[in-house]
């Protein structure tokens, strides 16, 4: 999923990233939480999905803000 802007609970913000559910098996085997991948032009990180505060989808006026 293409995301225009992603904001985490830590205040970190990422722009023009791609989110994906496929994470390395060693993460799923060692950490029981639900992780999601965030890919930029230069790196890929894996975060717990509960860390997402809000996201704005690319090519859409749709914005998700968690409570």
């Amino acid at each position: 999923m293409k995301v225009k802007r992603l904001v985490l609970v830590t205040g970190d913000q990422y722009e023009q990233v791609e989110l994906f559910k496929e994470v390395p098996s060693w993460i799923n085997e060692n950490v029981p939480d639900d992780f999601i991948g965030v890919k930029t032009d230069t790196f890929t990180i894996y975060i717990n999905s509960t860390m997402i505060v809000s996201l704005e989808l690319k090519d859409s006026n749709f914005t998700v803000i968690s409570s």
Side-chain angles (χ1 to χ4, degrees):
M1 169 188 331
K2 299 277 185 182
V3 175
K4 185 175 180 180
R5 190 170 85 129
L6 172 70
V7 181
L8 303 181
V9 295
T10 60
D12 294 341
Q13 296 185 29
Y14 299 93
E15 294 187 6
Q16 308 301 328
V17 298
E18 183 175 351
L19 301 182
F20 56 95
K21 290 291 288 180
E22 298 81 24
V23 297
S25 60
W26 60 268
I27 290 178
N28 289 329
E29 292 169 0
N30 294 300
V31 184
D33 293 328
D34 185 26
F35 276 74
I36 192 165
V38 179
K39 183 176 182 178
T40 72
D41 289 338
T42 55
F43 60 87
T44 300
I45 61 171
Y46 299 95
I47 60 170
N48 185 303
S49 60
T50 61
M51 293 291 292
I52 298 173
V53 172
S54 69
L55 58 89
E56 183 178 347
L57 300 179
K58 188 172 185 172
D59 301 325
S60 174
N61 292 327
F62 185 73
T63 301
V64 176
I65 301 173
S66 70
S67 56

